[in-house]
Amino acid sequence: MNKTIKIKDRLIGEGQPTYIIAEMSANHAGDFNRAIEIIHAAKESGADCIKIQTYTPDTMTIDCDKEYFRITKGTWKGENLYSLYKKAYTPWEWQARLKEEADKIGIDFLSTPFDKTAVDFLEELGIDFYKIASFEVVDIPLIKYVASKGKPIIMSTGMATLGEIEEAVNAVKSQGNEKLCLLKCSSAYPAVPEDMNLKTIKYLEEVFGVIVGLSDHSLGSVGAVTAVVLGAKVVEKHFCISREIENPDSSFSMEPHEFKKMVEDIRAVERAIGKVSFKVSQREEISRVFRRSIFIVKDIKKGEVFSEENIRVIRPGYGLAPKYYEDILGKTASKDIERGTPLDWSMVI
């Protein structure tokens, strides 16, 4: 499969800067103006893309209070699925305007569809690429339908076994779609470091031959920055204006100043990773003079023998390289040499 994918005029993948996605999810807390504010804040914080989710409570589940539909553990303990999705969803009548605002300020717009009606809606919206959520990685009919649109797909793999990931990848490929990125993900909210297993990022790249990245639900930016070191080309992180604005996603979302710092750290890490090189940089060149070299440490007369008493390997590096020290011992001086003079071959007979 491809080692780069193209979104609009931008390449994502090998040799390209990390593509950073700010996930709005439920952080608008039901307020359209706040959703607009989040888009602007994400752009200002350095995000390349703002992501929403396209579903309704009825496209996700049914309104039923049987025990199967109750959440008994974790961040949303005590919630009923239908009521949770009712709180969290982004109204579909907002989404064209949200995309228009994102386009206007120059940030990519992405959504996660959760059923075929959402895909059809996003197609009418003119979306450029799709996200598949971790919970939907086993929904092979949905994945095939999304892949059939021929657009790039970013797919999270939280909770998935290797076999399930393979089935999902094959579902994309079965539609003749090679434009895929897989994201390592720990689908806990929040995720804890010991469950993240970031080494899997490289493994996914090697096994499936695709672009890889991280969908990060952990607190802080350590996971995201480490993922980039390990080869992640896409990083997705939940984004909010303030965690004090309560909603289903606020507790594990980043505020703008935190997100901005994460982006800065990722960009610094990219510069630090660089490429395989043994070329001496201009800044290193300044330091080279403080290497060790051979110096005269005691006044020497012409014809005098070089010995451990009158020459030494010391800093700075203006004399002959230390590797010649043993060769010079026992040889004689070609002229008088003052203490503190760097040794060179013209002084040696």
Side-chain angles (χ1 to χ4, degrees):
M1 299 186 82
N2 294 332
K3 297 306 287 285
T4 59
I5 56 177
K6 190 173 183 181
I7 295 173
K8 295 185 176 177
D9 295 325
R10 172 170 179 159
L11 288 176
I12 299 171
E14 197 67 36
Q16 305 299 320
T18 307
Y19 189 74
I20 301 174
I21 301 170
E23 162 70 277
M24 183 188 307
S25 193
N27 282 306
H28 51 69
D31 185 328
F32 174 77
N33 290 328
R34 185 175 294 120
I36 293 291
E37 185 182 2
I38 288 172
I39 291 172
H40 282 261
K43 171 70 174 178
E44 291 165 8
S45 299
D48 298 297
C49 176
I50 185 74
K51 189 179 89 67
I52 64 167
Q53 298 179 359
T54 303
Y55 66 87
T56 68
D58 293 296
T59 65
M60 290 290 266
T61 189
I62 58 172
D63 189 1
C64 181
D65 202 36
K66 286 184 180 289
E67 60 182 304
Y68 311 111
F69 298 88
R70 296 188 204 125
I71 302 170
T72 58
K73 295 178 182 179
T75 301
W76 303 303
K77 182 180 178 180
E79 289 276 9
N80 163 276
L81 282 179
Y82 190 88
S83 64
L84 176 66
Y85 298 136
K86 195 171 183 179
K87 292 177 186 176
Y89 89 112
T90 302
W92 291 25
E93 60 268 24
W94 292 5
Q95 295 188 22
R97 288 183 287 165
L98 295 179
K99 182 178 184 299
E100 182 181 340
E101 191 69 19
D103 291 343
K104 184 171 77 175
I105 67 170
I107 187 171
D108 291 343
F109 183 85
L110 172 64
S111 185
T112 304
F114 289 84
D115 78 326
K116 287 185 177 182
T117 66
V119 178
D120 293 340
F121 173 80
L122 291 170
E123 281 294 294
E124 289 180 11
L125 219 59
I127 201 164
D128 296 292
F129 59 129
Y130 285 97
K131 173 74 192 297
I132 300 292
S134 288
F135 289 82
E136 274 58 49
V137 76
V138 294
D139 190 345
I140 299 302
L142 174 63
I143 293 171
K144 284 183 176 179
Y145 192 64
V146 171
S148 72
K149 305 305 176 183
K151 295 175 180 177
I153 297 170
I154 297 173
M155 182 157 57
S156 287
T157 61
M159 304 171 290
T161 65
L162 185 60
E164 288 169 340
I165 297 170
E166 184 176 19
E167 288 173 353
V169 170
N170 288 340
V172 173
K173 293 170 70 174
S174 73
Q175 304 303 303
N177 192 330
E178 299 283 325
K179 294 172 280 192
L180 177 65
C181 171
L182 293 178
L183 304 186
K184 177 69 180 75
C185 178
S186 175
S187 292
Y189 303 86
V192 293
E194 52 267 36
D195 288 345
M196 294 181 74
N197 296 310
L198 296 178
K199 280 189 174 182
T200 311
I201 291 170
K202 198 67 181 174
Y203 187 81
L204 289 172
E205 181 182 33
E206 292 169 353
V207 169
F208 296 106
V210 297
I211 303 158
V212 291
L214 176 69
S215 177
D216 186 14
H217 300 133
S218 67
L219 301 177
S221 60
V222 170
V225 173
T226 303
V228 172
V229 175
L230 293 172
K233 297 301 180 186
V234 175
V235 167
E236 178 186 86
K237 194 86 170 172
H238 278 68
F239 183 87
C240 67
I241 295 298
S242 169
R243 282 188 290 275
E244 292 183 6
I245 302 170
E246 291 189 13
N247 67 81
D249 293 335
S250 57
S251 65
F252 54 88
S253 296
M254 271 189 160
E255 295 181 352
H257 69 281
E258 297 167 325
F259 197 95
K260 184 176 182 180
K261 180 62 166 62
M262 178 191 73
V263 172
E264 290 170 352
D265 288 345
I266 286 173
R267 299 307 179 212
V269 162
E270 289 173 334
R271 293 192 297 272
I273 291 170
K275 59 187 178 183
V276 176
S277 173
F278 296 97
K279 182 180 179 181
V280 178
S281 71
Q282 288 183 339
R283 283 175 284 273
E284 283 184 312
E285 193 67 48
I286 295 170
S287 298
R288 281 171 70 95
V289 297
F290 299 110
R291 285 174 156 186
R292 288 177 176 260
S293 66
I294 305 172
F295 263 78
I296 307 301
V297 295
K298 186 177 180 182
D299 289 347
I300 295 177
K301 297 292 184 182
K302 180 178 179 180
E304 190 175 341
V305 174
F306 293 111
S307 68
E308 292 180 356
E309 285 72 38
N310 57 27
I311 63 169
R312 280 178 57 196
V313 174
I314 61 171
R315 294 185 183 188
Y318 293 100
L320 291 175
K323 64 182 178 180
Y324 298 117
Y325 179 76
E326 292 179 353
D327 295 333
I328 291 168
L329 290 174
K331 289 187 167 53
T332 56
S334 65
K335 58 183 179 181
D336 294 347
I337 315 170
E338 289 184 1
R339 180 178 182 270
T341 302
L343 185 67
D344 67 49
W345 287 116
S346 68
M347 303 171 185
V348 182
I349 300 176

